[in-house]
Amino acid sequence: LVVLTGAGMSAESGISTFRDAGGLWDRYPVEQVATPEGYQRDPALVINFYNERRKQLLEVKPNRGHELLAELEKSFHVTVVTQNVDNLHEKAGSKNVIHLHGELSKVCSSRDPYDYRYIKELPEDDCEVKPGTEAGDGSLLRPFIVFFGESVPMIEPAAEAVQQADIFVIIGTSLNVYPAAGLISYTKPHIPIYLIDPGAVNTNGYYKIEHIMKGASDGMKELKEILEK
């Protein structure tokens, strides 16, 4: 069972979505806080933006959708592929999570973000990064986030997981953000595909998808009943 999750998965937990009206992009231009150029221009602004996001993360909890997804591990081998940078899947108990766009709770080298020696998990009681703090290689620490315009290294293991899926589930994503939206094309022919989203989602008509038009928690409850029949 492979599950692709987007912003709608965490919205019920109270995390601002980026793209919806009133979302984070309305208040912070993406060029300032989520591009390599924005980081180079004003690293302190970017560091403080993600400090604020981290503080927000401490105030929220996994919702019932996260918990029900984690509970499916009792019956299935589950891989979660998420576009979200929060750690709510892990907090709910999901064991196998691939983060496509990075992880808010981590910082890394700005010279080589994927040098594992300098990727550091920030403890919840000390999660604020002071602008100007250096990584172990002497470069400035930056958020372990995939900025717009950067490559998405975790797309390859995600695609490999989707190729192995016997059931594919999509929760709370518009399927507009690439390369994540392209993962559906890696599914084996004729496997069951479920989409949980309260709104209409453009699936291009290429795939036979069962659309559960509900939010993450109610949708996961219905899906769990379907899968455990």
Side-chain angles (χ1 to χ4, degrees):
L1 179 64
V2 179
V3 184
L4 172 65
T5 69
M9 185 83 216
S10 296
E12 288 174 36
S13 293
I15 291 186
S16 293
T17 59
F18 279 90
R19 291 170 187 281
D20 292 343
L24 290 171
W25 292 148
D26 284 356
R27 286 171 278 152
Y28 298 92
V30 59
E31 300 80 16
Q32 283 185 1
V33 295
T35 62
E37 296 78 16
Y39 178 74
Q40 286 165 1
R41 193 163 43 245
D42 193 346
L45 174 76
V46 175
I47 290 291
N48 286 324
F49 174 81
Y50 289 99
N51 281 338
E52 289 301 314
R53 303 282 70 70
R54 240 174 263 120
K55 280 185 207 157
Q56 183 196 23
L57 191 51
L58 297 179
E59 295 165 7
V60 300
K61 293 190 172 87
N63 60 56
R64 191 66 187 130
H66 291 108
E67 291 167 355
L68 288 168
L69 180 49
E71 285 172 21
L72 283 177
E73 294 190 12
K74 294 173 190 166
S75 311
F76 296 89
H77 181 276
V78 181
T79 300
V80 178
V81 178
T82 187
Q83 295 167 257
N84 300 334
V85 296
D86 61 59
N87 56 3
L88 296 179
H89 282 301
E90 288 89 345
K91 284 189 167 179
S94 288
K95 299 284 189 299
N96 190 16
V97 184
I98 297 171
H99 283 270
L100 291 179
H101 297 154
E103 297 176 66
L104 188 53
S105 61
K106 294 180 179 178
V107 286
C108 60
S109 153
S110 52
R111 184 176 300 140
D112 182 0
Y114 284 88
D115 189 327
Y116 68 91
R117 294 173 298 175
Y118 309 120
I119 297 172
K120 179 177 154 194
E121 177 98 33
L122 296 170
E124 288 196 348
D125 59 358
D126 186 19
C127 65
E128 193 163 333
V129 177
K130 288 190 175 64
T133 305
E134 291 184 355
D137 62 357
S139 70
L140 288 179
L141 269 185
R142 62 163 264 185
F144 187 56
I145 299 289
V146 177
F147 289 149
F148 283 89
E150 292 184 326
S151 62
V152 182
M154 296 308 290
I155 198 70
E156 288 180 23
E160 286 169 14
V162 173
Q163 284 174 326
Q164 303 302 315
D166 299 306
I167 303 167
F168 187 54
V169 181
I170 303 158
I171 307 175
T173 175
S174 61
L175 293 179
N176 286 330
V177 180
Y178 283 85
L183 286 171
I184 193 170
S185 65
Y186 288 89
T187 53
K188 291 183 284 201
H190 313 304
I191 67 163
I193 301 176
Y194 298 92
L195 168 67
I196 297 172
D197 199 282
V201 174
N202 179 17
T203 58
N204 296 318
Y206 298 145
Y207 302 93
K208 190 179 174 194
I209 296 175
E210 187 162 336
H211 190 173
I212 300 170
M213 292 188 79
K214 295 181 177 177
S217 295
D218 288 342
M220 269 305 305
K221 185 167 179 255
E222 185 171 324
L223 178 68
K224 198 160 182 280
E225 288 167 1
I226 292 168
L227 296 180
E228 293 182 346
K229 271 180 184 169

